[in-house]
Amino acid sequence: MRFSLYLNDYETEKLFSTLRWLFVVIATLIFYVPPFSDNITTNKAVFPYLLVSAVIYMIVTQFALVRARDDKGSLQLILKAGIMFDFLALIWLMFLSEGIHSPLYPISILFVMHATIYWRTKGAFISLAAFSLAYLLMGIVTVNLTDFQHYFTLSFNLFFLWIIGLFGALIMLRERAHYVQKEAYHHLAHRDYLSGLFNQLSFQEKFKGKVDANESFTFFLGDIDDFKKVNDEYGHLTGDDVIRKVGEVFRNLTETYKGQAFRYGGEEFVILLPHMDDGVIHQFLKELYSRLETLAPISISMSFGQAGTTEDDDPEKLFALADQRLYVAKKAGKGRTCLANDELYIP
């Protein structure tokens, strides 16, 4: 299992979602479990309402996160709602557990970090200002701020929150900038700019990794029939447009079948799929050829050769098998697929 401190937005929100459950446990200990509850003044009459609200919110968020993994719009909504919930819940918890002297005060630093991740410098200053104002109002309502112990605690805590918050925000912003750069480099190294698919390097890594892990899969090596004629008759701009649209067809269809598509080079492509029975393979090819035939501005045909791990476990031999079958499909008339059992699939 890969471990990295470089987390994308989805992974970061999963981490904060887990931390919320941890803080619910800590808050419950403080309110109900001795010796914590015996030594910390709390409002046990109101806390159950907060606890129930928090649990309901977090359960809903867990389900929403699963559904929003590939939906950036929904994910952003969850992120912003999470920051607002954290702020309200933290202030409420502190108010119920000794106010400005609450042992839950250190959580405020995480609140600032959370806002900084998604709203950057603006998020850091807004979260610090919002919490400082709420903390000051909490002090005014709950204690006599003319007493030294109270105004010292309030001033001391706010001073260090701003120091640690701003310094932590600086580190967080640098980390996020590094993450964006890392993702950009990875994208350049593993994505084909024209088709939008993964490139040959990515295929080689994925292919070898699956073989080494003894995963069962099937794949198709194919190319666009008579692609040179497309470029000669319609021009290279049209040829590039065909590559883009073929890439879109492959990407959308392979995702439906839980696979991946790659541009191997030029007009050559590879489709990598989980192991499937013959009926599902025929259905996949039927859908694939149907979509290729309706491409605009021109329809195209493609030939494929299939191979799978049921035949061999050596990457080079498997690829050679698919390449040989692609040649057979081409020689048999193009616009067809030579399957792993050497049967010809003709759409």
Side-chain angles (χ1 to χ4, degrees):
M1 180 179 179
R2 181 182 66 87
F3 174 77
S4 174
L5 293 178
Y6 285 103
L7 305 177
N8 60 30
D9 286 352
Y10 179 79
E11 292 166 337
T12 302
E13 194 57 30
K14 279 181 61 179
L15 175 61
F16 274 102
S17 183
T18 303
L19 287 175
R20 290 189 191 107
W21 288 105
L22 175 61
F23 293 139
V24 164
V25 173
I26 292 174
T28 304
L29 290 174
I30 290 173
F31 277 77
Y32 293 120
V33 180
F36 306 104
S37 59
D38 295 337
N39 293 281
I40 299 174
T41 303
T42 57
N43 186 332
K44 296 181 177 62
V46 179
F47 177 70
Y49 297 102
L50 174 59
L51 180 61
V52 171
S53 300
V55 170
I56 292 174
Y57 169 80
M58 289 186 292
I59 290 175
V60 171
T61 302
Q62 292 291 139
F63 281 107
L65 271 175
V66 173
R67 296 178 63 87
R69 178 164 192 161
D70 299 315
D71 184 348
K72 292 185 178 180
S74 299
L75 182 59
Q76 289 301 315
L77 181 63
I78 293 171
L79 301 180
K80 294 175 182 178
I83 294 171
M84 295 302 299
F85 172 82
D86 291 344
F87 174 70
L88 295 174
L90 176 59
I91 297 301
W92 194 357
L93 271 175
M94 290 179 61
F95 186 83
L96 299 179
S97 57
E98 300 189 350
I100 62 172
H101 300 282
S102 173
L104 297 172
Y105 173 82
I107 300 175
S108 60
I109 297 174
L110 281 177
F111 162 67
V112 174
M113 296 298 99
H114 198 186
T116 302
I117 289 173
Y118 305 119
W119 291 333
R120 303 184 181 279
T121 303
K122 178 176 64 177
F125 280 100
I126 290 177
S127 60
L128 282 167
F131 181 82
S132 298
L133 178 61
Y135 192 63
L136 176 60
L137 292 175
M138 191 186 307
I140 293 173
V141 171
T142 59
V143 296
N144 182 3
L145 288 180
T146 60
D147 292 347
F148 174 78
Q149 63 172 345
H150 298 315
Y151 75 72
F152 176 78
T153 296
L154 186 143
S155 303
F156 188 83
N157 282 347
L158 286 182
F159 173 75
F160 277 97
L161 175 65
W162 276 83
I163 295 297
I164 297 172
L166 290 176
F167 185 70
L170 173 64
I171 296 174
M172 185 68 69
L173 291 171
R174 289 181 60 186
E175 183 274 337
R176 300 303 284 178
H178 290 161
Y179 175 79
V180 171
Q181 291 176 351
K182 176 176 175 286
E183 288 296 293
Y185 292 145
H186 184 272
H187 182 85
L188 290 173
H190 289 81
R191 288 278 184 178
D192 171 59
Y193 76 97
L194 185 56
S195 67
L197 301 177
F198 294 103
N199 60 19
Q200 182 182 153
L201 172 62
S202 183
F203 167 71
Q204 297 291 357
E205 292 179 354
K206 181 72 69 173
F207 189 66
K208 187 175 185 305
K210 284 183 173 291
V211 172
D212 291 344
N214 293 319
E215 291 187 35
S216 182
F217 63 88
T218 189
F219 74 100
F220 296 87
L221 173 65
D223 68 12
I224 302 173
D225 295 325
D226 302 316
F227 187 67
K228 186 177 182 302
K229 289 183 180 179
V230 174
N231 283 328
D232 292 343
E233 294 181 16
Y234 298 94
H236 287 278
L237 289 179
T238 299
D240 288 349
D241 193 37
V242 168
I243 294 292
R244 275 191 292 270
K245 290 179 178 178
V246 167
E248 185 177 346
V249 167
F250 283 2
R251 183 169 58 254
N252 293 336
L253 186 58
T254 53
E255 285 177 358
T256 302
Y257 284 83
K258 298 181 180 179
Q260 288 180 306
F262 308 80
R263 185 183 181 195
Y264 196 76
E267 67 270 27
E268 291 184 308
F269 296 85
V270 178
I271 296 174
L272 191 58
L273 298 169
H275 177 71
M276 302 182 298
D277 60 37
D278 292 344
V280 178
I281 289 173
H282 280 74
Q283 178 62 34
F284 171 80
L285 290 172
K286 180 180 178 181
E287 291 184 46
L288 177 59
Y289 279 110
S290 175
R291 296 189 187 194
L292 292 175
E293 288 172 0
T294 58
L295 279 185
I298 56 174
S299 63
I300 60 166
S301 72
M302 292 190 68
S303 301
F304 295 92
Q306 182 200 7
T309 48
T310 55
E311 301 178 278
D312 208 302
D313 58 2
D314 181 89
E316 292 186 5
K317 291 181 180 178
L318 275 177
F319 195 83
L321 278 173
D323 192 39
Q324 290 169 12
R325 288 170 181 151
L326 170 60
Y327 176 77
V328 170
K330 289 281 190 183
K331 192 175 181 180
K334 304 178 183 178
R336 60 201 66 201
T337 298
C338 183
L339 300 172
N341 56 7
D342 293 325
E343 170 195 351
L344 282 175
Y345 174 87
I346 303 175

